[in-house]
Amino acid sequence: MSTGHKRTSGAGRSLNGEGKSAVNPEISSSSSPVKPETLVDIFCDPENPKKVQFQEVSAAAYKIKTGIFRTPCSKSRLSGQLGMNIYFKKEFLQFTGSFKERGARYALLSLTPEQKKIGVIAASAGNHALALCYHGVDLGIPVTVVMPKIAPLMKVTNCRTYGAEVIIHGKSIFESREFAMKMGKENGKMYINGYDHPHIIAGQGTMGLEILEQVPDLDACIIPVGGGGLLAGTALAIKNLKPDVQVIGVESENCPSFSASLKAKKAVYTESLSTLADGLAVPLVGVNALETAKDYTDKMVVVKEESIALAILRLIEVEKSVIEGAGAVGLAAVIEGLLPELKNKKVVIALCGGNIDTTILGRAIERGLAVDGRLVRFVVTVSDRPGGIAELAKLLSHNGASIKDMFHERAWLKSDVFSVQVKVVAETRDQEHADEIHTVLKANYKQVAWGPRYF
């Protein structure tokens, strides 16, 4: 089966400085009527979006039940602290670390015998690639994934470890996708979109079926949203069986593409900025996902980056679970106070992925500590005579703060030459303790600048 057909529209064509097509420099804009051709994914056609049906989710559940781990949905220790009965659906416990396995396996099982021999191709920087590679090898189906140069090395290595063909191409996922679709057309490999292929959406919906079996009396379900596949499938499953359950989608403030598309009533491009929830940074949501989810989604909320960092920290400390930013946004929405209507309600939050890069994890923890008031920064001017800095250290120690880093400078200080400016990063117990340290410093020193803006 071909991955797509050609559309001969000239939309989006650009010319270089010599008046030639940027797509094909041999074609002159003035001498040839031929227009550049664009590959289109026939399964995800913006001009003909498909609304996935509940029966397809049921079929997916039957087909994948022997190859997908039924993840637990257990009550959270954070319930009392956050004022609601929270249950976490722990999809990060899937073998490759995310919910993506559900859709990937169903899509592979739905291939024709001929297509199973030829194989499939996909473009992904992370979880979709991992899921497709793992289940492709398990089912004996050749899988090729095209990953951009920015893809985490750990995920690239794991994909190769599973035995799939991995091609590194393109500066962004868009360049990788274009290359993958072209390669698929040439080789006869079906292109599988990681969040918008109808079989992918149906497969992701099986998580919703499990949630209803595990927490049958839930009041609401909170789902992270990137391309929209998980929201579409899960909402479809839950709303068809229990229409009164509130379905809430959550995005990062740095890429609220689904919210924008719902408002526009069509998939619209949204600028994506760097975010801790990198797995949700999809500038253009899936057309099938939008068509399927729009009537089943009760509310969309957008969370701040600092709330995502704090959610990652809370999950590590309280739930003993390492969750990537994309998987933690549901809890972030509750922590940020965006869902007050759920107070005292029974709420399921999907922790949909745990594949966080180690260096990003370290940064997220530190940022979370800062948001929580447990990591503070300040500048204080002390005497440059012997014992001046020692007195500051003693004062902090006496009040229970631990110095993590300290730096002092003299050259740019505008006060007297017998003073020194000391920049300190210190650890505190909580926000209340941090406020106490601030008060003590102001009582003992004339010049105290509190907060990161003074660094």
Side-chain angles (χ1 to χ4, degrees), residues 222-243:
I222 303 175
I223 305 166
V225 183
L230 181 63
L231 174 66
T234 305
L236 173 64
I238 290 176
K239 286 291 191 177
N240 269 272
L241 295 176
K242 291 208 168 183

Side-chain angles (χ1 to χ4, degrees), residues 20-33:
K20 295 181 179 181
S21 166
V23 176
N24 187 349
E26 298 304 316
I27 299 176
S28 171
S29 61
S30 60
S31 62
S32 174

Side-chain angles (χ1 to χ4, degrees), residues 295-334:
D295 295 329
Y296 297 123
T297 304
D298 296 296
K299 185 176 182 178
M300 288 293 301
V301 295
V302 177
V303 296
K304 297 177 181 178
E305 285 292 301
E306 60 186 30
S307 299
I308 300 174
L310 186 54
I312 292 173
L313 178 64
R314 286 282 187 272
L315 288 165
I316 291 173
E317 291 186 322
V318 181
E319 293 297 319
K320 315 306 177 188
S321 301
V322 178
I323 306 299
E324 61 187 280
V329 295
L331 177 60
V334 176

Side-chain angles (χ1 to χ4, degrees), residues 316-368:
I316 291 173
E317 291 186 322
V318 181
E319 293 297 319
K320 315 306 177 188
S321 301
V322 178
I323 306 299
E324 61 187 280
V329 295
L331 177 60
V334 176
I335 289 175
E336 196 172 319
L338 300 177
L339 302 169
E341 69 272 22
L342 299 183
K343 187 176 181 180
N344 298 322
K345 298 290 183 67
K346 184 170 286 189
V347 182
V348 172
I349 300 176
L351 301 181
C352 57
N355 293 319
I356 186 170
D357 185 80
T358 308
T359 56
I360 298 299
L361 177 60
R363 296 172 192 171
I365 291 174
E366 289 205 335
R367 186 168 295 185

